[in-house]
């Protein structure tokens, strides 16, 4: 029996979670090894320092005079027969210490509160999405429309280049694990915004469709390629591509500044992944966000123009 779209996505999620769990386990094991090395090194240095401090037979023995310190009371240090601690300075020190303790407790409370807020926002965002598990998912994928030379090659790629492509384009060169994992979740029929980045006016310029699910990114093995990765081998490839096709180009660009207008607290795009993680080149878009972005350019998600006066923007 063939798996549904939702079941396929769940299977990919499970694979990614298993790999991340394995990676964290390996990372924890390496941390333990490194911690042990640091402790051993610190112990060796301490022993070495102790040996260096040991008095020689020619040195005078340390003073045997006992210093009497009353517990809990600051002792004045005399200089030229006078104490450098006054009643006034001690009184000033008390509120300062209390202030430091108060700020410390506030910091803990704020940290816990922020963590709770992040959890609440995540939950609300998931509830608001209302994506159909068996329908298409939506994404945003960034590329640079202006020329930039890396290793003697131009990495420029615009929506016009995609439109001219004679066959489905392999979206290669992604070297961020989170972006790669998003690509692994893509299935045929998913739709993505094409986003022009690292240019004078960054923003969403059109739509493309995923027509080929993830496969190995061959560019990672090419030493001459701008995004060659020596740690990615054919036995254990790290990176993947998906194949995409042009669907439509917008008449007007939906600029980054315009997106940010609706990303304020309570805004429709408050939780849009690309606005929260600006360096992520492949990000998730909820159905609600997908539909709203289309209203900004006065078109339906299927490309049909919205009559004047009926847009929500």
């Amino acid at each position: 029996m063939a798996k549904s779209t939702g079941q396929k996505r769940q299977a990919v999620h499970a694979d990614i979670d298993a790999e991340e769990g394995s990676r964290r386990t390996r990372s924890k094991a390496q941390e333990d090894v490194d911690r042990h090395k640091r402790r051993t090194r610190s112990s060796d240095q301490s022993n070495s320092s102790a040996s260096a401090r040991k008095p020689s037979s020619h040195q005078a023995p340390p003073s045997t005079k006992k210093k009497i310190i009353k517990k809990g009371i600051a002792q004045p240090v005399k200089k030229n027969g006078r104490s450098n601690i006054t009643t006034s300075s001690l009184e000033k020190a008390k509120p300062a210490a209390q202030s430091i303790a108060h700020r410390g407790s506030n910091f803990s409370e704020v940290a816990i509160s922020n963590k709770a807020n992040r959890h609440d926002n995540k939950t609300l965002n998931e509830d608001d999405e209302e994506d159909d598990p068996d329908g298409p998912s939506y994404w945003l994928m960034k590329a640079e429309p202006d020329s930039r030379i890396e290793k003697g090659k131009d990495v420029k790629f615009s929506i016009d280049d995609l439109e001219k492509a004679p066959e489905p384009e392999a979206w290669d060169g992604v070297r961020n694990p989170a972006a790669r994992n998003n690509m692994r979740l893509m299935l045929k029929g998913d739709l993505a915004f094409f986003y022009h980045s690292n240019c004078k006016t960054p923003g969403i310029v059109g739509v493309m469709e995923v027509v080929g699910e993830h496969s190995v990114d061959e560019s990672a093995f090419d030493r001459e390629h701008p995004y060659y990765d020596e740690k990615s081998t054919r036995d254990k490839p790290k990176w993947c591509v998906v194949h995409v096709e042009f669907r439509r180009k917008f008449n007007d660009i939906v600029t980054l500044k315009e997106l940010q207008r609706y990303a304020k607290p309570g805004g429709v795009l408050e939780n849009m992944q690309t606005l929260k993680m600006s360096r992520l080149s492949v990000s998730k878009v909820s159905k609600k966000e997908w539909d709203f972005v289309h209203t900004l350019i006065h078109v339906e998600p299927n490309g049909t123009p919205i009559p004047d006066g009926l847009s929500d923007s």
Side-chain angles (χ1 to χ4, degrees), residues 180-191:
R180 175 206 58 199
N181 288 347
N182 278 337
M183 290 171 66
R184 289 181 60 186
L185 289 169
M186 294 179 183
L187 298 178
K188 287 182 181 180
D190 283 358
L191 298 171

Side-chain angles (χ1 to χ4, degrees), residues 11-21 180-182 184-185:
V12 176
H13 269 297
D15 289 342
I16 292 174
D17 289 344
E19 289 180 9
E20 287 298 310
R180 175 206 58 199
N181 288 347
N182 278 337
R184 289 181 60 186
L185 289 169

